[in-house]
Amino acid sequence: MEFKDKVCVVTGAGSGIGREIAWAFATAGAQVVAVDRDLATLDRLTQDAARAERPLHVRGAVCDVADAQQITCTCDEVVAHFGRCDVLVNNAGILRRGALQDLPDAQWDQVLDINLSGGFRFARHLARNMIANGRGAIVHIASIAATQTHGGCGAYSASKAATLALSAQMAVEWGPHGVRSNCISPGLIETALSAPFYAIPGVREQRERLVPLRQIGTPRQVADAALFLASDAAAYINGHNLVIDGGLSHALIAQVPRPETA
Ligand code: NAP
């Protein structure tokens, strides 16, 4: 996939899936603006990019996506520096566990601020530039939790379900201006953060057994999907939710005992 000189903004790019997405766009020739609230992780990313065999163009931007003012500044800087934005990947997200009946307002607000409102604000700002240019692609990283909720995940599922609806609305409102909006819903993806959990004996095997492809996904597989949805190869794909879960979200019904297996 070719993104030579395209300007791509990726949020939550300091670690995990976002880092892999930023790296993948940069490797494909893009000028990447890697957004994260953590300067140290961004520094590691930009230094790795500068040291790569073929130097990659990655610029770090410290920004808390829960802070509307910081988002405005970051987006203004992107447009002032590059003159345009071609691709936005709304990836920054958090999961805070807790039973709904005990969920404090502050935690509900924090998850929605980061997972939903932050993505809306980034898209709103950068879509103005995309609309003026008559083209652009927005990819939101949602989750299979948007439709397959698991207990105790607090506001997470609600924030991801709302992301699907918001993306569809963007697709309808901004499609006539040449701006596409799509979602990716990853399933079980192993990142540096979840690696210690997978190192617990039995966890990987237990989880793999539930996935029809019998594998845990990788950040690179999510990044490949983001590249595709942002590319011209997906020029007629708008308002879609691409599920990347090895078939997991279709597997529940297979767990139900049947007369022949009971
Ligand atoms: P991760 O490793 O925790 O990476 C998320 C990145 O976003 C971190 O660098 C984090 O920084 C940053 N971030 C969090 N809050 C932020 C804020 N307010 N402002 C700026 N940056 C912020 O998580 P991940 O597993 O790669 O997840 C990435 C996305 O994929 C999320 O939207 C998540 O919901 C979604 N997802 C993940 C999985 C999975 O299995 N991993 C499955 C489905 C969906 P800090 O380290 O400072 O928090």
Side-chain angles (χ1 to χ4, degrees), residues 12-18 35-38 63-66 91-94 114 141-144 156 160 186-189 191 193:
S15 68
I17 293 170
V35 175
D36 206 286
R37 60 183 167 188
D38 183 2
C63 170
D64 182 343
V65 309
N91 164 79
I94 59 166
I114 294 174
I141 308 300
S143 168
I144 56 167
Y156 187 74
K160 295 298 187 178
L188 304 174
I189 308 296
T191 62
L193 219 64

